[in-house]
Amino acid sequence: MIYLDNSATTKPYKEVLNTFIQVNESFYANPASIHEAGVESNTLLDRARAQMAKILRTDDRQVLFTAGGTESNNFAIFGIAKANTHKGKHIITTEIEHASVLESIRVLQADGYEIDYLSVDSNGVISLQELQEKLRKDTVLVSIMHVNNEMGAIQPIEEAAKIIHESSRATFHVDAVQSFGKMPIYFKDDAGPDIISISGHKIHGLKGSGVIAFRKKMNIAPLLLGGGQEYGLRSGTVAVPQAVALAKAARMAVENLEQSMKKYRKWHNELMEFLTSFGSVIHILSTPNGAAHILSFSVKDLKGEILINALQKRGIIVSTSSACSSKQKKTSHVVLALKTPPNFVNGVIRLSFGGLTTDEDIQQFKKAFTEVMKELKGE
């Protein structure tokens, strides 16, 4: 099987799985317990936290472990909004955010918050001028994803951060689920985000692991109430094996980042040229300036499921749009926001690369896709 759906999830590295097993076997005590075994587990947890903090360039106490990207996004949005109503109840986000952001914001909208949605151009990128115009004195939160999960558009995070910090008191949250470990993302004083969300299973870590990290100490409402773990912000026994495994996956991703980016860009460019050779029957949603590890395109007048099944018969695994919405029988909000031509909206296919993708995988995809296109034409 050739797996090209790494933006949906990745296969855990063996080193990560081994770390997870070893911690479960030897450090299974509750890290909140005061006995020796508990202290040892807590020491390991602190080490994982420090490793994540170093990678993100923040303080150890500004890193919290969660159950994944969705929880981290929910935490950021509800936590900041609920704790800062004295600043205002106005929120800015974009039309193409992940559902974990959009659905959270819709709940707040029903609770009386005012929401402004930034539009995107044909490349999937926001307008900084529109961001500037929509910022208000009562803007409490701006949430903008770094890399779009469906077509790979990269948002101008640093420029947006500068505008937000200079023109408002708003907290700037960045969903970095699709960028962390694939391209540089970390805290940079006022030239970057205030909050970053990360998911472990997107970087060859484990499902059920994630991080929410802060540039500095923030006024944020707790996500879970109980025993006061994670500095009182996320109560519940901390899953030490998941945290340590995530730190391991993150270290591996960052250590291999430069090499990975070069490989992804090579494949991205090669496949863009390959798909362009089919002419007007193919519409490419991704752009040359987008994230190198995601490439989305559509075949004219063809449902994506047909193409997925045809490729699957040849041992190639790809996806339609995002995994979170692919089972829903409706057109993606991202595809609509990009003003995709009507004949192409139902046939969007996403290829996404990971640390286990090889050159041979790319060549096999090209061969299989060429066969499928001939088959569909009846040749």
Side-chain angles (χ1 to χ4, degrees), residues 87-348:
K87 291 184 180 179
K89 298 183 73 174
H90 177 239
I91 297 174
I92 297 175
T93 189
T94 81
E95 294 179 334
I96 62 170
E97 297 299 306
H98 187 268
S100 60
V101 169
L102 294 177
E103 292 302 318
S104 298
I105 286 177
R106 288 188 184 112
V107 170
L108 290 174
Q109 186 171 18
D111 199 30
Y113 286 77
E114 291 184 69
I115 315 298
D116 270 322
Y117 295 90
L118 302 176
S119 58
V120 295
D121 61 19
S122 59
N123 295 320
V125 179
I126 64 167
S127 161
L128 292 172
Q129 181 179 344
E130 184 184 10
L131 171 61
Q132 178 76 73
E133 291 171 351
K134 288 187 173 176
L135 280 169
R136 304 179 347 196
K137 290 183 178 179
D138 63 339
T139 305
V140 68
L141 173 70
V142 179
S143 184
I144 300 174
M145 66 184 355
H146 190 192
V147 169
N148 180 260
N149 55 303
E150 296 193 26
M151 50 75 70
I154 302 173
Q155 302 303 336
I157 296 301
E158 291 188 21
E159 295 88 341
K162 184 177 181 180
I163 292 171
I164 293 164
H165 292 143
E166 289 180 353
S167 304
S168 73
R169 297 188 297 168
T171 297
F172 183 27
H173 165 246
V174 169
D175 172 358
V177 166
Q178 291 291 348
S179 62
F180 180 78
K182 314 287 177 59
M183 56 190 297
I185 175 71
Y186 45 80
F187 295 109
K188 300 180 180 180
D189 297 322
D190 283 347
D194 298 308
I195 305 177
I196 291 175
S197 296
I198 295 170
S199 175
H201 76 101
K202 306 293 188 179
I203 55 169
H204 300 280
L206 303 177
K207 297 170 184 64
S209 64
V211 159
I212 181 171
F214 309 93
R215 179 170 60 88
K216 60 182 180 179
K217 185 175 176 59
M218 313 216 67
N219 184 26
I220 185 167
L223 173 67
L224 299 171
L225 302 175
Q229 291 90 341
E230 295 296 272
Y231 309 113
L233 293 173
R234 187 184 185 270
S235 291
T237 301
V238 181
V240 178
Q242 280 89 331
V244 176
L246 173 54
K248 175 71 173 180
R251 295 198 312 276
M252 292 180 69
V254 172
E255 288 169 1
N256 298 320
L257 183 60
E258 185 175 346
Q259 181 182 0
S260 296
M261 290 178 66
K262 288 180 179 178
K263 288 195 303 183
Y264 299 157
R265 182 55 64 189
K266 171 180 175 291
W267 295 333
H268 192 278
N269 292 344
E270 180 180 341
L271 287 171
M272 288 276 278
E273 182 177 352
F274 168 73
L275 292 168
T276 301
S277 69
F278 287 89
S280 60
V281 71
I282 299 286
H283 175 75
I284 302 176
L285 282 74
S286 299
T287 68
N289 296 324
H293 62 286
I294 297 176
L295 178 55
S296 291
F297 65 95
S298 180
V299 179
K300 187 176 182 181
D301 295 324
L302 183 70
K303 288 187 177 180
E305 291 82 355
I306 294 175
L307 190 52
I308 282 179
N309 291 333
L311 288 169
Q312 185 169 264
K313 290 178 181 178
R314 292 166 172 80
I316 311 289
I317 303 299
V318 300
S319 69
T320 58
S321 195
S322 72
C324 298
S325 62
S326 59
K327 291 184 179 180
Q328 299 177 17
K329 304 299 182 182
K330 62 180 182 180
T331 303
S332 159
H333 65 290
V334 175
V335 173
L336 293 176
L338 293 172
K339 298 179 176 57
T340 305
N343 286 353
F344 292 94
V345 296
N346 294 320
V348 178

